[in-house]
Amino acid sequence: MNRVILMGRLTRDPEVRYSQGERTMAIARYTLAVDRRGRRSQDGNDQQTADFINCVAFDRAGEFAEKYFHQGMRVLISGRIQTGSYINRDGQKVYTTDVIIEDQEFADSKGAASDMSGYQNNGNYNSSYQQPAASSRPAPSSAIGDGFMNIPDGVEDEGLPFN
């Protein structure tokens, strides 16, 4: 079985391209910084580093990533690992490993403040990263402060699936 589930922060905004041909399809690529616990150091503290995992989302998932995902956001993805290779301009064979996304979702509430500001691709903590302004992201019109939507008037409680 080839199944992977990851939670991490986007290292940059997704890069989205659209395929050519009969049916245009969005192809979003992004990298997740996924925390990894290292060995204990001499002073007894855990050393935390990050793995940088390349992810690819196709079609509607790619459009969703383009519209809602931004650098620094924590997301949860599931999918499968796909490996490949190609010959670069120097004639050397380059091996690739990507996660092909089947499901993706937000891992933080809309207004959650981040404990970690961001990572650079080399694994070093980047304290200069600033969280994107909330005004740059769309907000549901009926959202309240806790991230949940109000139930519209006229909807009976008995019809809701979670009484």
Side-chain angles (χ1 to χ4, degrees):
M1 180 184 339
N2 182 356
R3 184 79 171 159
V4 65
I5 300 171
L6 299 169
M7 183 167 41
R9 294 192 182 273
L10 277 79
T11 60
R12 63 183 186 281
D13 290 349
E15 176 184 310
V16 181
R17 296 186 180 171
Y18 288 86
S19 65
Q20 303 295 317
E22 291 180 29
R23 183 174 174 271
T24 303
M25 179 187 335
I27 303 167
R29 295 182 174 275
Y30 56 85
T31 302
L32 285 184
V34 179
D35 289 333
R36 173 180 41 161
R37 297 197 186 271
R39 295 188 175 124
R40 290 197 179 264
S41 63
Q42 291 178 351
D43 61 3
N45 294 328
D46 284 338
Q47 294 176 341
Q48 198 168 26
T49 59
D51 290 310
F52 295 89
I53 312 294
N54 296 321
C55 303
V56 183
F58 293 96
D59 208 15
R60 286 194 170 169
E63 292 170 4
F64 181 87
E66 177 181 34
K67 188 172 183 178
Y68 296 109
F69 285 3
H70 303 282
Q71 179 179 9
M73 292 179 80
R74 190 165 62 154
V75 297
L76 177 67
I77 66 159
S78 65
R80 62 184 171 82
I81 293 178
Q82 180 173 296
T83 59
S85 64
Y86 64 93
I87 305 296
N88 69 10
R89 293 179 184 163
D90 299 330
Q92 298 174 329
K93 193 169 194 172
V94 177
Y95 294 94
T96 62
T97 302
D98 297 311
V99 173
I100 306 302
I101 295 171
E102 295 167 3
D103 294 305
Q104 60 188 356
E105 60 189 74
F106 302 105
D108 282 329
S109 64
K110 179 179 175 234
S114 137
D115 290 337
M116 298 168 32
S117 296
Y119 280 104
Q120 297 171 332
N121 272 334
N122 61 9
N124 294 329
Y125 186 69
N126 176 12
S127 60
S128 65
Y129 170 72
Q130 296 295 321
Q131 187 74 10
S135 62
S136 68
R137 287 181 240 134
S141 60
S142 60
I144 55 177
D146 61 3
F148 291 97
M149 291 181 64
N150 289 323
I151 299 173
D153 292 335
V155 174
E156 298 295 324
D157 287 343
E158 298 88 44
L160 297 176
F162 42 82
N163 283 338

